[in-house]
Amino acid sequence: MTLPATYPIARSCPLDPPQEYRLFRTGRPITRITLDFDDSVVWLVTRYEDARAILGDPRFSSDFSTPGFPARLTSQPPGPGTFIRMDPPDHSRLRRLLLPEFTRRRVQELRPAIQRIADSLIDDMAGASPPVDLVESLALPLPSQVITELLGVPYEDREYFHYTTKAIGDQSVDPQQRMKVRNDLKTYLDELVAAKEARPGDDLLSRLGRSREEAGVSREEVVGIATLLMVAGYETIANQIGVGTLVLLEHPDRLEQLRRDPDKLPAAIEEIIRHQTVIDYGARRAATADVEVGGELIKAGDGVVVVLASANRDEEIFHDPDRLDFDREQRDHLSFGYGIHQCMGQILARTQLEAAWSTLFRRIPGLRLAVPVEKVPFRNDMFVYGVHALPVTW
């Protein structure tokens, strides 16, 4: 097989990363490659140890404005509060404000609400006449409703909120319309944050409003944080539910294992997150100094794309990595990133996946695909991988 000269690389099997990643890992684990959208040349990183080295090294910047940063899908600089596209000290200042909101204790307090939302959605799904679209019925509304619960969006505004998240994530919507929806959302959140500061409640936005001045954070930055949580936290979980359900339905032996031993679910979730890495394009960085990684000298100003989906299938780390194995020896996968930018919402993400899958397969034990897997529309052109729809029946 000839190694491709451009990136991204098309999949030959929808539930596995491109086969070429294996060849890159064994022959050219850190290599120069041309990005197909602007013909810029960056370093492509495909091996687990190299990925961790780069993601954990402060000399690799996440800032959009850093020279050499691979700016795909980022047509304009991120707004205030978008800390995932910042370096310290701004990244540290904003992330520190949020950390108390995503502790295990705080997520445990949210767990009954998450379960209530999952129960309601799956009750509605089970009461419908199959086939139904699992993406529309569960994968999209669950994280959207959880985010509104977390932020403290008033009940009367939640339908608007769910419409907004759906429109922003839908690539079939006209780009100008998506931008209008995003701007309208920013205006709405600005008004909501102001209202929370005037009359605080027991929710994330109220707590941020109370503590932001002491932390040196502006109201505009709080609005940016809320937008980021809504868009990033929603899209990744929605797609993990969709493609994760599909991979379970395609592995009935694994599904049967979960039915026999429900205590296996946390290990199954980690394995599904590893096996189906939804951050498909990769983690983008730019070097701010000359750094040697894996025997290659990456120079200041060089762009880097760390392919998380390849690192999570590295045979040096994960035995028989293409196999979905719930009894696998637990090793840290990179689906939530690594280093200072590791996803702070990962406990919340796992809790939503646990509620979704435990409830879904208990309430609808005969669930199966309503179409051949070849007919499932995959998100092959997106930054986040998944399925556009998942027709299921029972």
Side-chain angles (χ1 to χ4, degrees), residues 237-272:
I237 297 302
N239 284 288
Q240 196 75 69
I241 292 171
V243 78
T245 303
L246 174 56
V247 83
L248 280 168
L249 295 177
E250 286 294 286
H251 290 78
D253 53 333
R254 298 280 79 86
L255 199 47
E256 182 57 32
Q257 184 183 7
L258 284 183
R259 289 200 179 100
R260 290 196 314 267
D261 184 6
D263 291 342
K264 186 65 76 176
L265 184 57
I269 287 171
E270 295 309 308
E271 177 67 348
I272 292 167

Side-chain angles (χ1 to χ4, degrees), residues 171-205:
Q171 293 297 310
S172 67
V173 174
D174 178 74
Q176 285 187 317
Q177 174 64 17
R178 277 214 316 277
M179 187 54 69
K180 181 184 183 305
V181 169
R182 192 182 278 263
N183 289 336
D184 289 348
L185 173 66
K186 183 178 179 300
T187 301
Y188 170 80
L189 286 171
D190 197 36
E191 293 170 356
L192 181 61
V193 169
K196 295 286 184 186
E197 288 188 358
R199 298 184 63 185
D202 182 21
D203 53 67
L204 183 148
L205 287 183

Side-chain angles (χ1 to χ4, degrees), residues 220-233:
E220 194 178 20
E221 286 175 318
V222 172
V223 172
I225 288 170
T227 307
L228 174 66
L229 291 178
M230 206 195 84
V231 176

